[in-house]
Amino acid sequence: MTEVASDEEDEQPKQIPRIDAETASRGMVVGRDDAGIKEAQLIGSGAKVSEIKRKSEERESDRAEKFGDNFETISIFALWFGFVTFLGLFGVWAYHLVTPESWHFLSNTALDKLQLVVTGGFVTGVVSSHMKKRLS
């Protein structure tokens, strides 16, 4: 196991040699990641270990929150897509209920399957569980 740095070490930051523009232009710098550059600047500025850890935890929290936001956006899109699809299926089913049989375009077997989907508890269960989760 490695030991955690004490506060005494925080008082004497380690110096990291700076890279001059000529060395950087020759391609001696590995990677061009903005987060890596920011971290190197933070370490090179003489920040305390506790400050570096705090900033790291802050960035990790931001990444997790961004992932959660993206997942929520996808979830909302899927919910709306399902709702519009359900309305379309319900419209077709209702059309077959109110129009004469000569106007129908689905077979009786297909209409029975459609009725199961429209009136089944599956759709209701999915929507209600999602709404309960969002509203609580």
Side-chain angles (χ1 to χ4, degrees):
M1 279 194 198
T2 60
E3 289 187 32
V4 177
S6 67
D7 288 335
E8 289 179 18
E9 290 180 30
D10 287 343
E11 299 301 320
Q12 300 173 2
K14 296 179 181 175
Q15 295 297 320
I16 297 175
R18 298 193 183 277
I19 298 175
D20 62 346
E22 182 182 334
T23 306
S25 67
R26 288 188 307 209
M28 300 299 281
V29 177
V30 178
R32 300 282 181 198
D33 185 21
D34 288 340
I37 292 171
K38 287 178 184 176
E39 185 177 359
Q41 288 171 343
L42 184 64
I43 292 170
S45 70
K48 294 182 179 182
V49 173
S50 59
E51 178 71 14
I52 294 171
K53 285 182 182 179
R54 186 186 64 76
K55 292 238 184 221
S56 175
E57 289 169 357
E58 198 174 280
R59 284 192 300 271
E60 180 62 31
S61 174
D62 290 344
R63 279 191 296 272
E65 190 171 326
K66 188 175 182 180
F67 176 79
D69 290 345
N70 289 337
F71 186 77
E72 183 65 20
T73 300
I74 291 169
S75 176
I76 290 170
F77 176 77
L79 183 66
W80 275 105
F81 179 78
F83 179 71
V84 169
T85 302
F86 175 76
L87 284 180
L89 292 174
F90 181 79
V92 169
W93 180 61
Y95 172 82
H96 277 272
L97 288 178
V98 297
T99 59
E101 198 167 316
S102 61
W103 292 5
H104 294 182
F105 55 88
L106 290 177
S107 67
N108 285 338
T109 307
L111 187 59
D112 289 342
K113 289 180 181 180
L114 180 62
Q115 183 176 354
L116 283 174
V117 170
V118 171
T119 61
F122 175 73
V123 173
T124 306
V126 169
V127 171
S128 66
S129 70
H130 185 75
M131 293 310 292
K132 283 179 187 176
K133 182 180 175 185
R134 295 293 139 225
L135 295 176
S136 61

